Amino acid sequence: MSGINETPCGYEAKNGQWIGCNRAFPHSGIRTGDLCKKCKIFFSAKSDLEREDAERLQQCEGCGLAGRKMPSTCGTCQRNYGRSDPNKEAGAAARGTAMQSRVGGASRNALANELTNTNLGSLAHTVGPATPEVELERLRAARAAGSFSIVYSIVVHASNGKVAPNAFGRMTLLVETSESMQAILDQMVDQASEKWVKNRTCIHLQTRDVELRFKGNRDIDEENLALTLSEFYSHYCNRVDRDAFIPTAKSKGLAKGSFLEMELHVFSDKYESRTGLEGTTTTTQRSKRRRAQGSDDDDDDDDIRGLTKRSASGSGPLVSKFVRDSGIPSREAANAIQTKPILFRRVTVKIKDNESGQVSIHKSTKDENGDIAVTPIKLSKSDRGRSKELYELAIAGSQIPYVAKRLLSKAPGEPVPILHEQYDLLLADLVRLVKGQMFVKRFESSADEYGVEPSDFRFTEAFLITVVKSADPSTTNSSVLAALYASSDAEEEEEFEAVYLVEPRRSSSRIEKYTGTMVNQEWHDLKSATINAFAHFVIMDSACEYLLADLQALQDIREGTILIDPMSHTPMGNSGLGDHGIEGIMTFIRTHACSPICKSMKLASASDLRRTIQQIKKELSTNPDGNSDSE
């Protein structure tokens, strides 16, 4: 740095109040209207306790850097502006001399010198500010020509959609940085096949059976497989979300910058389709060991332990709860799900105006036939919703499996017994899904404009069905059913006995939560950072008229991240269940922590959003019956 910076920290607010400490730091990069490091920490604090901690921070008088143990002049200012400590310099020089004697002096053996000369030619051992540019280029070329490690594991997707436990361990492949990623993938498949045939089957894996992804199930763009490893590494290094792909710390025996952590995803349906084999996702060795040890985590073990007992006297015959076999059960009896036929009509929602987000509702007059399960789907406690029950649904003439959601309650202890109220609330949920997908398209378009590559996601397709009447199970002729209820077409107000929100059934029922109704969860990877930025984008794009909340997703094997059951906050508070109105919007503005994607897309600042919502509050105070944003 050169010259003295006399620009003070802070700026004058609209009300004339000075924001900042008004101190000048001669060696800082502060420009007019900027805050120093300490003031930035103080004004971004979210609580009084955080502000008190910020006030106690010590600050460098030269550059303004702040920290709990920061000296009055930081080390950088000492080195750059002639304020260095002679004792520290002497110690550093002594340590440098000792290190040089170990790695670059006459004490080095002949083998070490030969290796150095082989890799770097006559390149100087000491690299620093004085190193000529030619030698730096030679160093880069020498490094690029070296080897690189790919550390990966095998992830097996069973045909039923579940992910099998890892029974193969971690593998390491040493490759050249000049090789293409496609060639490296071929080598990984060959190496993985050696373990695959030992643990599972006698037929080797092929590239068509697998997908290469980053560790943590992060997708790779297919076109990037054509890049060399060096180009591939540089591409992801230069992304704003690089930490989601590039290891930030060294691994065992591997230096940072010399390896990538990947996953090889094997899809059993593809493998079985190619080979004709079935049941490749058999029990892993680890599962067998756990069962042998009597692990409490295995449900089968719980069923096996303690079933066979001695009689009370200890000398009589064995006693068991096992039921005597009475013959081979029929396939239909073993796999049947009890269903009932229904006659229904669809209700769909479409975006009428992409600018305003207004929707149109279409009620079909066509009767359709289907079969719906009598009992709801059993889900784990973590995946089970509090307000809806899910039923399997098959629609005549369609090969797509569906799930039908029935509304039970608004909140714990608040049932919804009136059918038309259930209809209105489920219709509001459908509108949220349709508007959500509209915002997804806008978000993707905006990301393209800024050159940002977010994670892929979308909202589920959905529609409502109103059940006209449960069909008689003994009746199988659909034309008779249609004729029986044809008179309902002429009714002015449709009568129905049940209403469901219908969506395609996904390969997994495990829910991943990204935001809550009134809570913004922290982002930790590319996917969560993307959803975080999407919520920010929606409130900005709608000028605080609409905010999508409670964003959660299912991970479908073929279609990726599918968002379901969102909630929303609107100024009028009338967009459906869970709409907390302006309070919900203000909570988001106050608690949202921007991800790198927010910053790269230049999304609106918290102050801009606050000014916008304040303007809306003024408008509503003079016009309490302002128009809702939903049709």
Side-chain angles (χ1 to χ4, degrees), residues 61-252:
E61 297 175 355
C63 63
L65 193 64
R68 293 181 180 178
K69 297 183 179 180
M70 179 65 60
S72 59
T73 305
C74 69
T76 301
C77 288
Q78 289 177 4
R79 289 190 299 273
N80 292 346
Y81 304 105
R83 300 183 183 180
S84 57
D85 187 339
N87 294 328
K88 289 185 177 180
E89 282 193 347
R95 289 191 296 273
T97 302
M99 181 60 70
Q100 187 68 20
S101 67
R102 293 192 193 109
V103 301
S107 61
R108 299 186 74 201
N109 57 44
L111 177 60
N113 285 321
E114 181 180 352
L115 288 174
T116 301
N117 292 334
T118 300
N119 289 333
L120 303 178
S122 59
L123 186 64
H125 295 300
T126 302
V127 177
T131 305
E133 186 175 354
V134 174
E135 293 187 352
L136 288 175
E137 289 297 330
R138 292 176 61 188
L139 176 61
R140 295 189 188 101
R143 181 179 179 183
S147 296
F148 196 91
S149 296
I150 304 293
V151 181
Y152 69 99
S153 57
I154 298 177
V155 179
V156 180
H157 296 264
S159 300
N160 61 6
K162 295 183 178 180
V163 177
N166 179 17
F168 302 93
R170 289 209 320 171
M171 287 169 272
T172 302
L173 182 68
L174 200 61
V175 296
E176 296 295 324
T177 53
S178 57
E179 294 185 63
S180 72
M181 288 303 299
Q182 185 62 55
I184 291 172
L185 173 59
D186 293 340
Q187 294 178 50
M188 293 170 68
V189 172
D190 290 341
Q191 186 184 53
S193 281
E194 299 303 318
K195 288 195 174 184
W196 178 267
V197 296
K198 289 181 182 178
N199 280 21
R200 296 185 179 275
T201 177
C202 60
I203 300 181
H204 281 73
L205 291 171
Q206 292 185 5
T207 307
R208 72 180 80 172
D209 306 325
V210 305
E211 287 184 12
L212 182 62
R213 300 177 183 175
F214 282 99
K215 182 180 178 181
N217 197 22
R218 299 181 179 94
D219 289 336
I220 295 173
D221 296 332
E222 285 190 20
E223 58 267 23
N224 290 339
L225 293 178
L227 302 176
T228 65
L229 174 57
S230 178
E231 294 168 340
F232 182 84
Y233 187 89
S234 297
H235 171 73
Y236 284 96
C237 262
N238 292 326
R239 288 174 52 143
V240 294
D241 54 347
R242 56 164 289 163
D243 290 350
F245 303 96
I246 305 299
T248 57
K250 64 180 181 180
S251 183
K252 186 176 181 181

Side-chain angles (χ1 to χ4, degrees), residues 239-241 446 450-452 595-603:
R239 288 174 52 143
V240 294
D241 54 347
S446 180
Y450 287 99
V452 177
S595 71
I597 297 177
C598 297
K599 298 173 183 176
S600 298
M601 293 178 64
K602 295 181 172 54
L603 300 184

Side-chain angles (χ1 to χ4, degrees), residues 291-292 294 298-309 320:
R291 280 201 290 272
D298 198 316
D299 293 338
D300 293 339
D301 293 347
D302 294 336
D303 295 337
I304 292 172
R305 287 195 298 272
L307 290 183
T308 304
K309 300 179 180 179
S320 173

Side-chain angles (χ1 to χ4, degrees), residues 230-289:
S230 178
E231 294 168 340
F232 182 84
Y233 187 89
S234 297
H235 171 73
Y236 284 96
C237 262
N238 292 326
R239 288 174 52 143
V240 294
D241 54 347
R242 56 164 289 163
D243 290 350
F245 303 96
I246 305 299
T248 57
K250 64 180 181 180
S251 183
K252 186 176 181 181
L254 298 171
K256 179 181 175 182
S258 66
F259 70 99
L260 282 175
E261 293 181 306
M262 314 292 285
E263 290 175 349
L264 200 62
H265 287 251
V266 180
F267 294 92
S268 293
D269 54 350
K270 295 181 180 179
Y271 178 82
E272 292 169 3
S273 175
R274 178 178 63 84
T275 62
L277 298 175
E278 293 184 1
T280 56
T281 52
T282 55
T283 306
T284 63
Q285 294 176 348
R286 179 183 176 190
S287 300
K288 293 175 182 176
R289 286 198 301 270

